[in-house]
Amino acid sequence: MNKSDFDELKTTGKLPTPSGVALQIMELTRRDDVSLSELARVVRTDPALAGRLIKFANSAMAGPRRPVVAVADAIHLLGIATVRQLSLSLSILEQNQSGACEGFDYQKYWSGSLARGIAANALCMRTRVAAPDEAFSCGLLAEVGTLALATLHPEAYGELLAAHGGRTGPGLRAQERTRFRADHTELSVALLENWMLPRVFIGAISHHEEPSTASFPEGSREALLTRLLHLARGIGEFCCASEASRPLLVQDLLFGAARIGIDADALAMLVDEVASEWRNWSGILDVTAMIVPAFSTIRATKTDEPRAAVHESLQATETTSDLMRVLVVDSDPAALATLRQLLVEQGHEVTVAADGPQALKQAMATLPHMILCNSATPDLDGLALCRAIRETEEGRQIYFLLLSEADGHERLVEAFEAGADDFVAKPIAPRVLLARLRAGQRVVRLQEESARDSQNLRRFANELAVANRQLRQAALTDPLTGLPNRRYGMERLEQEWAASSRNQRPLSVMMIDLDRFKTVNDTHGHDVGDMLLRQAAGLLRKAARAEDVICRIGGEEFLVISPDTALAATTRVGDRLRKAIADSPIMLGALRQAVTVSIGVAERTSAMSRYDELLKGADQMLYHAKRKGGNRVEAAGASHPLPASKAAPR
C-alpha cells in the first residue's frame, strides 16, 4: 500500500486510533531523554492502563521477575519500548470493541487476537527469535487491517464477509483489493509502520497468514518469525474454535510447531499455558474466552467430520474410492430431482441446493468433492458461485462442473475463466454426464493421492524437526553436568546483550571457578573430579535464581548470566552461590570433600561495545578473587567487595 493512499485514509479519521493517553506515551517515548518518572506520571492518568501494565509485568508473559506494585517499577522492568507498544495495543483494543459493521464479529476478532498475541509471546519466550514482550503486541495487532476495513467500510465489508460465511483471512484478500484498493494485510502493515512497531515483526506479519508466499532466506530470523506468527495464529484459531472442530486443527498445529523446532509434547504444554493465560487476560480486557480442554486430550480425540479450515489434511486422511460427495445446484425442482436420482444410483452421496447463497453455505459446510451447478442459479449465478468458492482456501480443491443452456465458445471461455473444471451443455445426456463425472473422479483421486503424499511429507518433516531439535539440544548441553555448555552460554549472552541494548535494562555476569580443583584431580583421579563437578553444578543450580542462566564453559569454570540485574544485586547472588558451595561438603563415595569457589562479577557499562568485554571484566575479577586466596566474590567497580568468609575446616 503506497503512502499517499494511506495518508488519504488517515484524513478520513475512521482508522483505528489509540487513546489520548496512549498517543502521549507514544510521543514521549520518541524522545531520547524521556525519564521513567515522566513516563510513569502520564501512565498514572489512565488507571486502567496503569493496572494492566502492572498486571503484565507480574504475569507469565513477562517471564520470571520480581513482583511489582508500582507503575514506575513496572515501566523499569518492562522497558520503555515495551510500555510504548503495550499502551498502543491495549488502547486500540479498548477503543474498538464494537462498531458499525454488522457482519464483523468484534468480540470474536478480539478474542482471537488476544489468544494470538499470548501465543506469540509464549513462542518467543521458547525460541528467543524476538523479544517476547514485543511479540505480544505485534501478535495482538497482526490483523488490525480487518478491523480497519470494518471501520472504514462497514456496510460493504459486512456484505463481503456475509458472502464468505463471516470468515476473515487470506481467502478474502483478492476481493478486498478489488473493492477497497487495499487488502487487510496491506492495511495492517501500513498501520503498524505508522505506529512504529519493530520492523522485523512487520515483515513477518505481511506473510504470516500464508508463509509460503514469503521470500525470506531459509533459516533466517525473518523466515522463522513468519512461521512463528503463523503458528500463533493457528493457536488463536484453536482456542476460539468450537469443541467439535478443535481436533481437526491439531495436525496443522503439530506441523507448524515442528517447522520451528517445537515437538508435540512441548507444543501441548505451550497451548495449555496459552489457553490458561487467555482466560486470565480475557477477564481483565473484557474479551470473550472459552474453557479449552488439555491439548493432549483433544489430540487423542478421533473424528470423521469434514472440516473447513484444514481441508487439505482432511483429504489426506480419507480413503480413495469411487464414491464422492456431490452438491447439485439447480432452481428447477424436476431437474434437481433427476440429477440427484442419477447420482444416487451411481452410489454417490448427494446434497442439493436451489439457489446460489444456499449452495455456497452447503459447500462450505460439507466440502463436496464435486459441484454440479446450473449456470442460471437465482441470486448468485453459476459463474459467480464458482468465483466465490474459488476465493476460499477450501474451495480450491472442489471439482466444479457447470451446466448451461448455451454451448458457444464465449460461454466456454467465460466458464473456465471463472474457475470451472468442466462444462456440460443442456439438455443433458445422462451418458455424457456420467462420462464427465468419471473424468472428474480421476482428478479427485489424484488430489487425494497428492494430499496423502503431502501428509506423509509433513509427518516426515515433523519427525525430522524433532530429531534436529534433540540434536541441537545435545549440542548445547554439557554431558557431564547436564548444564548448558559454552556454545549455548555465548549464544544466550549475545541474545541478552541485544535485549539489554533494546530495552535499556541492566545485564550482569559471574565467572565461577572451583578452588584447588587440580589438586583433587591429581590426588584422587579424574573420576572423582568428575563427581565433584557434577555435585558442584547441582548446588549452583539449586542456589541460583530462576532467571539466572548457569553454563559450564570449560574445566572447572562456570558462567552465570543475570538478565535485568545490576552489579550490587548480582554480587549478592554471587555470595549466596559461594556460601552454598562452602557450606555443603561434597561426598565423593566415602570421601567427604570441602569445596570453595572464587567468583568474579561484572555489569555492562556504556563503555562496553560487545558482550565479550563484559566477559573479560568478570574474568579479571575472578583472577583477583583467586589471587586473594579464593572463596570470595570480587565485583568490577565495587568499592567494598563482600567480605570473604573462610570455609570451616572439615
Side-chain angles (χ1 to χ4, degrees):
M1 186 176 192
N2 62 54
K3 187 177 184 301
S4 61
D5 285 347
F6 182 67
D7 288 342
E8 183 181 336
L9 290 177
K10 285 170 66 177
T11 61
T12 66
K14 295 181 179 179
L15 285 172
T17 306
S19 67
V21 171
L23 287 172
Q24 279 185 270
I25 292 169
M26 292 169 67
E27 189 62 35
L28 272 178
T29 53
R30 287 192 179 100
R31 288 170 29 198
D32 294 333
D33 61 344
V34 62
S35 66
L36 291 182
S37 60
E38 189 177 7
L39 190 56
R41 189 163 54 251
V42 174
V43 170
R44 288 192 199 101
T45 63
D46 185 341
L49 175 61
R52 288 166 180 170
L53 288 178
I54 292 173
K55 172 67 178 177
F56 190 95
N58 288 321
S59 73
M61 289 191 286
R65 293 171 174 157
R66 62 181 177 84
V68 298
V69 295
V71 172
D73 290 340
I75 294 173
H76 175 72
L77 283 174
L78 294 172
I80 290 175
T82 298
V83 169
R84 180 181 187 279
Q85 291 164 28
L86 282 173
S87 302
L88 165 72
S89 55
L90 295 175
S91 171
I92 294 292
L93 187 155
E94 185 176 11
Q95 299 285 315
N96 297 274
Q97 289 199 340
S98 61
C101 184
E102 294 183 2
F104 186 75
D105 191 333
Y106 291 86
Q107 269 298 315
K108 183 179 178 182
Y109 167 80
W110 282 118
S111 183
S113 296
L114 178 60
R116 182 177 60 242
I118 293 170
N121 172 278
L123 287 166
C124 279
M125 289 185 75
R126 280 159 175 77
T127 62
R128 292 287 179 176
V129 68
D133 298 344
E134 295 177 347
F136 171 75
S137 295
C138 293
L140 184 73
L141 298 177
E143 295 175 25
V144 70
T146 57
L147 176 67
L149 286 173
T151 306
L152 289 164
H153 312 285
E155 292 185 8
Y157 199 54
E159 292 171 1
L160 186 59
L161 289 175
H164 282 258
R167 290 195 303 275
T168 59
L172 274 178
R173 291 173 64 179
Q175 292 187 42
E176 288 171 347
R177 280 192 293 270
T178 300
R179 299 188 66 171
F180 310 121
R181 292 195 302 171
D183 62 46
H184 65 269
T185 298
E186 292 169 336
L187 263 176
S188 295
V189 168
L191 284 165
L192 297 181
E193 285 178 337
N194 184 59
W195 294 331
M196 298 177 64
L197 267 72
R199 288 293 312 167
V200 67
F201 275 103
I202 293 174
I205 284 169
S206 64
H207 298 285
H208 82 287
E209 290 184 353
E210 297 178 289
S212 60
T213 64
S215 57
F216 301 127
E218 188 64 29
S220 67
R221 186 185 183 204
E222 291 82 1
L224 181 57
L225 191 54
T226 302
R227 289 174 182 161
L228 183 147
L229 286 177
H230 181 69
L231 177 58
R233 185 176 193 269
I235 293 173
E237 291 178 346
F238 178 85
C239 289
C240 297
S242 65
E243 183 178 349
S245 58
R246 282 196 189 108
L248 306 170
L249 302 170
V250 167
Q251 286 302 318
D252 278 358
L253 292 183
L254 291 170
F255 177 65
R259 294 293 301 274
I260 60 173
I262 295 177
D263 61 26
D265 291 339
L267 175 66
M269 186 180 300
L270 184 142
V271 172
D272 291 345
E273 290 173 2
V274 169
S276 174
E277 201 68 20
W278 180 52
R279 291 272 298 168
N280 184 16
W281 275 88
S282 67
I284 298 169
L285 300 177
D286 196 22
V287 170
T288 302
M290 295 173 283
I291 296 175
V292 181
F295 184 83
S296 56
T297 302
I298 298 172
R299 185 184 175 195
T301 303
K302 304 296 182 183
T303 179
D304 296 321
E305 298 177 17
R307 63 177 176 170
V310 284
H311 181 232
E312 180 184 342
S313 296
L314 170 68
Q315 287 200 334
T317 59
E318 290 179 343
T319 58
T320 302
S321 71
D322 290 334
L323 304 183
M324 295 189 298
R325 294 189 304 275
V326 182
L327 171 62
V328 182
V329 188
D330 201 314
S331 58
D332 182 353
L336 199 63
T338 300
L339 288 170
R340 184 181 185 283
Q341 182 63 29
L342 180 64
L343 293 167
V344 168
E345 288 175 356
Q346 298 299 313
H348 300 302
E349 180 185 329
V350 183
T351 54
V352 298
D355 56 45
Q358 184 185 359
L360 184 60
K361 184 178 180 180
Q362 286 271 31
M364 294 300 98
T366 63
L367 292 179
H369 295 103
M370 182 180 291
I371 295 177
L372 271 64
C373 180
N374 186 350
S375 62
T377 305
D379 298 326
L380 192 69
D381 68 28
L383 295 179
L385 174 63
C386 185
R387 291 190 190 97
I389 285 174
R390 292 297 189 233
E391 285 292 335
T392 66
E393 184 178 350
E394 303 86 357
R396 295 171 193 165
Q397 304 296 323
I398 299 174
Y399 193 89
F400 200 97
L401 182 58
L402 194 67
L403 314 175
S404 176
E405 301 284 355
D407 189 18
H409 294 304
E410 290 300 323
R411 189 62 172 170
L412 273 172
V413 170
E414 192 178 5
F416 288 124
E417 286 182 346
D421 294 290
D422 205 351
F423 181 96
V424 177
K426 286 187 171 185
I428 298 171
R431 289 182 62 192
V432 172
L433 179 60
L434 292 176
R436 296 293 177 89
L437 285 172
R438 284 193 291 273
Q441 280 178 289
R442 287 193 291 272
V443 174
V444 170
R445 287 196 202 101
L446 288 172
Q447 287 177 339
E448 289 179 342
E449 290 169 7
S450 174
R452 266 194 301 278
D453 290 341
S454 175
Q455 182 74 0
N456 289 335
L457 285 173
R458 286 186 175 191
R459 188 177 297 110
F460 174 74
N462 191 10
E463 293 169 356
L464 184 62
V466 171
N468 285 338
R469 183 173 180 271
Q470 291 171 342
L471 287 172
R472 176 171 172 77
Q473 186 70 22
L476 297 175
T477 302
D478 173 46
L480 177 64
T481 62
L483 293 174
N485 61 15
R486 181 183 184 86
R487 178 181 173 187
Y488 176 89
M490 296 305 103
E491 288 182 3
R492 182 64 179 270
L493 182 56
E494 187 174 10
Q495 291 172 359
E496 296 297 347
W497 181 274
S500 172
S501 301
R502 184 170 56 248
N503 300 321
Q504 299 299 306
R505 296 175 183 165
L507 173 64
S508 300
V509 298
M510 290 180 266
M511 296 289 287
I512 302 177
D513 191 271
L514 299 185
D515 295 329
R516 292 171 288 281
F517 178 73
K518 186 176 184 299
T519 303
V520 174
N521 262 348
D522 292 344
T523 304
H524 303 289
H526 288 282
D527 53 341
V528 173
D530 288 348
M531 291 173 62
L532 176 61
L533 284 170
R534 280 194 294 269
Q535 293 189 45
L539 289 171
L540 289 174
R541 187 190 290 116
K542 184 177 180 180
R545 303 173 304 169
E547 58 265 41
D548 293 325
V549 181
I550 307 175
C551 312
R552 181 190 177 204
I553 59 174
E556 68 273 26
E557 201 166 47
F558 299 85
L559 167 68
V560 180
I561 304 169
S562 298
D564 304 329
T565 310
L567 183 69
T570 307
T571 305
R572 288 193 292 271
V573 173
D575 198 55
R576 188 171 74 206
L577 298 179
R578 181 194 63 77
K579 288 179 179 177
I581 297 291
D583 295 345
S584 303
I586 292 176
M587 301 305 297
L588 306 174
L591 176 67
R592 182 173 177 170
Q593 179 70 42
V595 180
T596 62
V597 295
S598 299
I599 301 177
V601 185
E603 180 186 7
R604 177 180 180 173
T605 68
S606 58
M608 297 177 181
S609 58
R610 282 182 49 81
Y611 66 89
D612 49 4
E613 295 178 42
L614 178 60
L615 279 178
K616 185 177 179 181
D619 203 41
Q620 289 173 342
M621 292 300 102
L622 174 62
Y623 175 73
H624 290 316
K626 300 287 279 187
R627 286 193 60 187
K628 293 179 180 180
N631 191 25
R632 64 186 297 118
V633 179
E634 290 287 332
S639 56
H640 301 289
L642 289 170
S645 59
K646 296 295 182 182
R650 305 292 182 192

